[in-house]
Amino acid sequence: MEKFSIQTLPEIIVASHREIIPNYAAIGPMCVEKIGPEMQKLGCKCPPPGYCFTMEHNKEYTPTNIDIEYCEQVEEMGEDSDIIQFKRLPAVPKALCVKHIGPYERFYESFTEAFRYIEEQGYKVVGQHRTCYIDGAWNQEDPGKWLSVIQIPIE
């Protein structure tokens, strides 16, 4: 399994929630206790296989006080609430995708590798990166086996 790949990300509609969380461990409870119930209340339908990701809005990497936006792909636009906002994200023609295996607190290691690879290959970052969650606390007890994919728009 290759660590790096170049992929196209299609245009999608997402249900989005943005807040400042104390650390990466707060992502799970935020999803389970706040976002999930609100999406259910709003009648959101997510297309299989499911695509959820976060985008960080801090100017620099920080392991605490993370300004994070959680997005989950939905089938159609809905009515915004105090917790969820709906939006259409444009297609990304080219994204460097990096597999991160391990706990979220070690994302900085994969980001460092990704930005080194981008520089070595002569690419330029052209948009907001996404961190997509494949395996995590909801289906894998061992954080050492969690799988995330970092998606960085490039040209």
Side-chain angles (χ1 to χ4, degrees):
M1 188 184 306
E2 292 292 319
K3 182 160 185 135
F4 299 108
S5 65
I6 304 293
Q7 297 179 15
T8 299
L9 308 178
E11 177 181 288
I12 58 172
I13 298 170
V14 298
S16 164
H17 172 76
R18 184 173 173 180
E19 74 176 78
I20 296 174
I21 58 175
N23 52 47
Y24 286 106
I27 292 172
M30 177 183 71
C31 293
V32 171
E33 298 165 11
K34 186 182 287 185
I35 297 169
E38 185 71 4
M39 287 181 65
Q40 187 171 25
K41 181 177 128 190
L42 296 173
C44 295
K45 292 185 178 135
C46 302
Y51 177 45
C52 64
F53 56 92
T54 57
M55 296 186 290
E56 293 178 32
H57 296 282
N58 296 79
K59 299 285 186 213
E60 296 179 1
Y61 171 78
T62 176
T64 59
N65 297 319
I66 305 159
D67 183 357
I68 201 160
E69 183 175 5
Y70 174 88
C71 298
E72 187 155 350
Q73 184 178 8
V74 294
E75 292 180 353
E76 60 188 19
M77 296 291 282
E79 286 288 322
D80 290 351
S81 72
D82 291 339
I83 297 172
I84 299 290
Q85 289 74 51
F86 294 88
K87 60 178 149 181
R88 188 176 306 272
L89 297 180
V92 175
K94 190 187 285 189
L96 175 68
C97 298
V98 183
K99 293 179 180 160
H100 171 84
I101 298 172
Y104 305 148
E105 290 79 15
R106 292 188 26 228
F107 276 147
Y108 69 92
E109 295 170 7
S110 293
F111 276 104
T112 300
E113 287 181 64
F115 286 109
R116 183 179 307 123
Y117 182 85
I118 288 168
E119 185 176 323
E120 289 171 355
Q121 299 301 312
Y123 292 122
K124 178 182 172 190
V125 176
V126 294
Q128 179 73 36
H129 74 269
R130 302 174 183 178
T131 304
C132 179
Y133 303 91
I134 312 299
D135 293 312
W138 60 93
N139 69 346
Q140 178 55 253
E141 287 185 29
D142 180 359
K145 295 180 180 177
W146 291 357
L147 173 62
S148 306
V149 177
I150 298 166
Q151 303 167 324
I152 305 170
I154 57 172
E155 64 179 39

